[in-house]
């Protein structure tokens, strides 16, 4: 690859996380839409959690579903990205411990992808374009005037 192409990519490095945010955010929202839209599906998730020995399974189902849906939207927007990532790290560690203790890697692969993508977003931040980055840019002139 020519040096000019590498420089072009390097200049756009911060846009790379946009693609991670979009697919992870879309998957989180798509995967929870049925539970948000249907109480019966939420109760099925409750029963699944109950069958895995989770205490307060209805509360766990509601918290997990709404956390994923809201954090998915936040990831897409690049808003409150690091707090959303921290919540998803906790959520997917729990998912791995609850639903993926057995069965090996293939059934747990998506949960690992979600966990490690959330870790990347926590460490790196949202990149560009993102609401977080826009808000930070707006605050910089104020802090320079103080």
């Amino acid at each position: 690859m020519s040096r000019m192409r590498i420089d072009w990519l390097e200049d756009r490095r911060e846009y790379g996380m946009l693609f991670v945010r979009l697919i992870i955010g879309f998957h989180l929202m798509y995967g929870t839409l049925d539970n948000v839209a249907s109480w019966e599906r939420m109760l099925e998730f409750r029963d699944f959690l109950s069958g895995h020995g989770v205490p307060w399974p209805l509360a766990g189902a509601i918290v997990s579903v709404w956390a994923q849906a809201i954090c998915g939207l936040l990831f897409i927007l690049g808003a409150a990205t690091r707090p959303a990532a921290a919540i998803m790290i906790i959520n997917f560690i729990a998912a791995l411990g609850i639903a993926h203790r057995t069965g090996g890697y293939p059934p747990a692969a998506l949960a690992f992808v979600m966990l490690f993508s959330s870790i990347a977003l926590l460490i790196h931040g949202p990149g560009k374009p993102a609401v977080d980055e826009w808000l930070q840019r707006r605050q910089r002139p104020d802090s320079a005037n103080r």
Side-chain angles (χ1 to χ4, degrees), residues 25-36:
F26 171 79
H27 180 76
L28 287 167
M29 292 182 70
Y30 180 82
T32 57
L33 184 60
D34 60 339
N35 295 81
V36 169

Side-chain angles (χ1 to χ4, degrees), residues 49-146:
L49 292 177
S50 180
H52 282 81
V54 173
W56 307 296
L58 181 58
I62 292 169
V63 168
S64 179
V65 163
W66 281 100
Q68 289 180 63
I70 292 167
C71 290
L73 179 61
L74 292 172
F75 282 168
I76 289 170
L77 297 173
T81 305
R82 285 189 163 121
I87 291 166
M88 287 299 94
I89 289 167
I90 294 165
N91 185 80
F92 284 102
I93 288 172
L96 286 163
I98 293 166
H100 300 290
R101 287 186 299 236
T102 61
Y105 175 74
L110 188 53
F112 276 114
V113 168
M114 302 303 284
L115 172 62
F116 282 90
S117 297
S118 296
I119 292 169
L121 287 167
L122 178 68
I123 293 168
H124 185 277
K128 294 179 183 177
V131 170
D132 289 344
E133 192 267 337
W134 177 76
L135 289 171
Q136 190 175 34
R137 231 184 12 237
R138 283 191 62 208
Q139 291 174 349
R140 283 188 198 130
D142 292 341
S143 62
N145 293 334
R146 289 181 187 174

